[in-house]
Amino acid sequence: MFGTILITITTLMQAFVFWRTATVPFVRRHVSRRALVITAVVTWAIFVAGRVYGHHGTGPVAVILEFCGMNWMAAVLLAFTFLLAVDLVTLFGLLLKQLAPRLRGWALAFAAFLSLAALAQGLRPPVITEYDVGLPGLPAELDGTVLVAVSDTHLGSLIGQRWLSKRIKQIRALNPDIIVLLGDIFEGHGAEKDRLTASFKQLKPPLGIYAVTGNHEFYSPGGSGIKRMEKAGFTLLRNQWTEIKPGLIMAGVDDLSHHQRQSNTADLVSRALADRPPGAAILLSHSPLEYEKAARRGAGLMLCGHTHGGQIWPFNYLVRLRYPMMSGRYKINGMTLIVCRGTGTWGPRMRLWKPGEILRITLHAI
């Protein structure tokens, strides 16, 4: 259903983009109507093939199709945004009749420039974002504990072994005591899944690796995404807690957005934090939801991902409607909430405006 909706919306946006492109003076002078139609059909076919075959297939052809198709989708979104803005300002050409077609040309040029900038941003390594967090109940001997958080790597056909090896070197260089994985680690398709899983075993922080499921772990056939997380040796927290050290509890919930879409009424946050021993509690949740409940249940720190920080402007405005706490640090009734904007990318290998990130959080006793 999601794929059908995505293809439908992108098709409508592309039709609008090529309809307005045909009115640009430069295009009218140098590009025949037939060539424009052929270009529209070919790019649309690449996009659909990338979504249908590339997204679920393996091998170099699938990778190329998905890379081209998903990035084309993002470029269409940017072109649609600027062309629509021109039409709204000019009342679809009723005002500024002579200027409107030229403005559409500038809108296309600007969209193309931003698409290239977004691609460069999306392909660059994630940055390290550092936080110091005071954690109520943390024993004095654990003051200075370093936690590294990774989210939304979407390992699969577009983000593979080479990318992961570089991220593992980045993480090891941060000297973490604890590593947490905030879901959407595996995309559920692509080759070399066993090699990807084995690569995580290079990470051996003294206090362990803890993970929660994201929505994409549930999309993988037969629960293979969840099985891969278990096979990699992570401590997978599914609506439960574990005591890392006396006075430090790590809890985790299955993805709350997936849980809500299933119309499940179970209280996962309360279940994950129930009957825990005294001490500081950290809650891992893929989606930044139910944070007020987490604060009421005594979590001192909640770590989330899922939003990608919107990933590509102006899509971030839509994301914020669903997830007001979209990226960065927030204070919720005494609890610290940190939302990672994602270490990898979903779909387009693009980011606009901020790059991906790995979180390095130093815990302090207060």
Side-chain angles (χ1 to χ4, degrees):
M1 179 61 71
F2 174 76
T4 301
I5 294 172
L6 188 68
I7 290 173
T8 300
I9 292 174
T10 304
T11 299
L12 293 173
M13 288 195 301
Q14 177 163 331
F16 177 83
V17 167
F18 275 91
W19 173 50
R20 303 320 270 160
T21 299
T23 69
V24 174
F26 177 86
V27 174
R28 295 180 68 177
R29 286 196 301 267
H30 299 283
V31 182
S32 69
R33 182 61 59 91
R34 180 181 179 184
L36 197 62
V37 170
I38 291 174
T39 301
V41 170
V42 169
T43 53
W44 178 84
I46 291 173
F47 160 69
V48 173
R51 176 62 200 177
V52 176
Y53 173 71
H55 187 68
H56 299 287
T58 59
V61 174
V63 172
I64 292 170
L65 284 173
E66 186 174 15
F67 182 84
C68 294
M70 292 298 97
N71 288 322
W72 175 251
M73 178 184 70
V76 165
L77 170 64
L78 289 170
F80 173 82
T81 300
F82 291 113
L83 287 170
L84 181 61
V86 169
D87 275 352
L88 291 176
V89 169
T90 63
L91 295 180
F92 287 82
L94 294 177
L95 300 177
L96 305 173
K97 291 184 179 181
Q98 300 298 319
L99 182 60
R102 292 197 295 274
L103 288 176
R104 293 186 196 117
W106 282 108
L108 286 172
F110 192 48
F113 171 77
L114 285 184
S115 295
L116 293 174
L119 184 60
Q121 184 81 294
L123 292 175
R124 66 178 288 197
V127 300
I128 307 301
T129 304
E130 299 201 34
Y131 294 98
D132 286 274
V133 174
L135 200 53
L138 184 70
E141 59 269 24
L142 293 178
D143 187 277
T145 296
V146 173
L147 181 154
V148 168
V150 174
S151 172
D152 300 275
T153 53
H154 291 277
L155 296 168
S157 61
L158 293 186
I159 301 179
Q161 180 64 43
R162 184 178 178 184
W163 183 91
L164 178 59
S165 296
K166 292 179 179 179
R167 301 295 76 78
I168 286 175
K169 289 179 180 179
Q170 263 188 301
I171 294 168
R172 292 175 67 180
L174 299 176
N175 297 314
D177 298 301
I178 305 169
I179 296 173
V180 299
L181 305 173
L182 300 173
D184 281 6
I185 303 304
F186 296 101
E187 180 64 16
H189 65 286
E192 300 182 329
K193 296 183 180 71
D194 290 339
R195 289 183 62 195
L196 292 171
T197 302
S199 293
F200 280 105
K201 295 183 179 180
Q202 299 176 48
L203 298 173
K204 298 178 181 179
L207 298 183
I209 303 177
Y210 304 86
V212 290
T213 58
N215 51 305
H216 280 262
E217 271 77 41
F218 290 99
Y219 299 158
S220 56
S224 58
I226 296 174
K227 292 175 183 176
R228 264 182 241 125
M229 296 180 84
E230 294 171 338
K231 188 176 180 181
F234 311 147
T235 299
L236 188 58
L237 298 172
R238 303 196 64 184
N239 315 312
Q240 63 193 104
W241 58 263
T242 187
E243 189 173 43
I244 297 176
K245 284 265 190 174
L248 180 57
I249 294 91
M250 186 74 71
V253 292
D254 282 344
D255 178 46
L256 295 174
S257 63
H258 176 79
H259 180 71
Q260 291 180 358
R261 282 193 295 272
Q262 300 302 309
S263 300
N264 195 322
T265 58
D267 187 349
L268 302 187
V269 171
S270 296
R271 184 191 301 175
L273 293 168
D275 302 320
R276 68 185 188 275
I282 301 172
L283 178 65
L284 311 180
S285 171
H286 179 62
S287 298
L289 297 168
E290 301 189 27
Y291 34 79
E292 292 178 344
K293 182 182 292 183
R296 290 197 302 270
R297 297 294 184 269
L301 172 63
M302 183 174 180
L303 300 176
C304 305
H306 185 58
T307 68
H308 291 236
Q311 189 164 321
I312 299 176
W313 179 92
F315 188 66
N316 55 300
Y317 296 117
L318 293 177
V319 175
R320 194 178 292 278
L321 293 176
R322 170 62 170 153
Y323 303 103
M325 309 302 184
M326 193 171 68
S327 66
R329 180 176 186 159
Y330 305 90
K331 205 70 175 178
I332 309 293
N333 299 327
M335 179 189 76
T336 299
L337 167 67
I338 300 177
V339 183
C340 178
R341 61 176 178 264
T343 306
T345 53
W346 174 86
R349 293 291 280 120
M350 291 183 175
R351 279 188 174 271
L352 195 67
W353 301 96
K354 294 184 178 180
E357 65 180 353
I358 296 171
L359 306 182
R360 186 182 191 272
I361 302 169
T362 305
L363 305 178
H364 297 285
I366 56 174

